[in-house]
Amino acid sequence: MLDRLIDISPNLEIEAILILVVLIALEAVLSADNAIALASIASGLEDLKLQRQALNLGLLVAYLLRITLIFAATWVIQFWQFEVAGALYLLWLVYSYFSSEEAEDDGHRGPQFASLWQAIPVIALTDLAFSLDSVTTAIAVSDRLWLVIMGGTIGVITLRFMAGLFIRWLKEYVHLEDAGYLTVGLVGLRLLVRSIDSDIVPPQWMLISTIAIIFVWGFSKRNPEVSLEEETQSE
């Protein structure tokens, strides 16, 4: 489909715009589970201001790592060990979340941080692990580095706003955090399978469809306490 659109493009500028739109769309679709994982990690800090700072600084470091990964992508994809490392890291995050107990004060599960600087590297490494999937997908769409970098830049900016929204939504929807980590597990399993044999990896549309179904469940039930607080504030 993309090839047909490019074939009918009257000039290089329109071709570049079409590719950029595709890359941005891919980043947006593939970033939902990433955003909720980053939001959950940032929630390990008690103060909302610190959570926002952790996202800002963590994603700044993550952006630099993404750019490095883009330039090194043709080299990285030759080594299955990188995908295994990324997959095991994501699966470890999922295990840590579901095996941890809920905090008594806010019900948060997963890693707890005593300071901002503990959260930043975890956020950056988590985004890097997700980038192993999204960057290789972007490289497959276009071999023009400047387009991939621009798509990745817009993707990180979008990711920051999505993660900010999810920090609020995690308190509003009962199943959302569980749903987010289930999708993180799917991405981790996909990376692991791809490192073993890329021919048996399920198609991208199947992963996206499964993630969409899980997120529908994640948004299916609101926290009654949060709803009551909102009603009280509006009166």
Side-chain angles (χ1 to χ4, degrees):
M1 186 63 169
L2 178 61
D3 294 336
R4 293 179 182 177
L5 289 173
I6 292 175
D7 288 340
I8 63 174
S9 300
N11 53 51
L12 183 62
E13 288 74 16
I14 293 181
E15 177 185 339
I17 291 173
L18 289 172
I19 294 175
L20 183 59
V21 169
V22 171
L23 291 175
I24 293 172
L26 282 172
E27 283 285 349
V29 171
L30 297 174
S31 290
D33 45 4
N34 190 357
I36 194 169
L38 298 185
S40 178
I41 291 170
S43 297
L45 291 164
E46 294 182 359
D47 185 74
L48 182 59
K49 183 179 179 180
L50 287 178
Q51 293 174 13
R52 292 171 178 168
Q53 290 177 347
L55 285 175
N56 291 336
L57 295 175
L59 284 175
L60 177 60
V61 176
Y63 175 71
L64 297 177
L65 293 176
R66 273 201 193 200
I67 298 301
T68 303
L69 180 60
I70 289 172
F71 279 105
T74 54
W75 174 75
V76 169
I77 59 177
Q78 298 177 25
F79 297 92
W80 55 268
Q81 292 90 344
F82 287 104
E83 289 188 338
V84 170
L88 292 179
Y89 176 77
L90 292 178
L91 293 174
W92 172 79
L93 278 180
V94 176
Y95 171 77
S96 298
Y97 171 76
F98 284 107
S99 63
S100 64
E101 297 181 357
E102 293 186 0
E104 295 181 359
D105 52 351
D106 57 1
H108 174 72
R109 296 168 69 177
Q112 300 281 346
F113 305 105
S115 70
L116 174 69
W117 304 108
Q118 291 179 349
I120 290 173
V122 179
I123 290 174
L125 285 175
T126 301
D127 182 73
L128 180 63
F130 274 97
S131 296
L132 288 170
D133 190 32
S134 61
V135 168
T136 52
T137 302
I139 293 293
V141 173
S142 175
D143 57 358
R144 299 180 188 177
L145 284 180
W146 71 271
L147 278 176
V148 178
I149 290 173
M150 186 174 294
T153 301
I154 297 174
V156 169
I157 294 172
T158 303
L159 182 61
R160 170 61 185 86
F161 285 104
M162 289 176 65
L165 286 174
F166 275 120
I167 284 180
R168 186 185 68 191
W169 289 339
L170 288 176
K171 297 179 181 179
E172 292 185 20
Y173 296 94
V174 176
H175 304 305
L176 185 56
E177 195 166 15
D178 289 346
Y181 274 96
L182 286 175
T183 61
V184 171
L186 286 178
V187 175
L189 287 174
R190 186 174 186 274
L191 277 175
L192 191 59
V193 171
R194 192 169 71 182
S195 68
I196 298 171
D197 187 353
S198 59
D199 292 332
I200 62 175
V201 176
Q204 193 78 43
W205 66 264
M206 186 176 295
L207 174 67
I208 295 173
S209 300
T210 305
I211 288 175
I213 293 171
I214 293 175
F215 270 105
V216 169
W217 170 71
F219 283 103
S220 64
K221 182 179 179 181
R222 296 196 66 182
N223 187 334
E225 294 181 2
V226 174
S227 301
L228 183 60
E229 288 179 6
E230 291 178 352
E231 292 178 3
T232 303
Q233 292 175 0
S234 63
E235 291 178 354

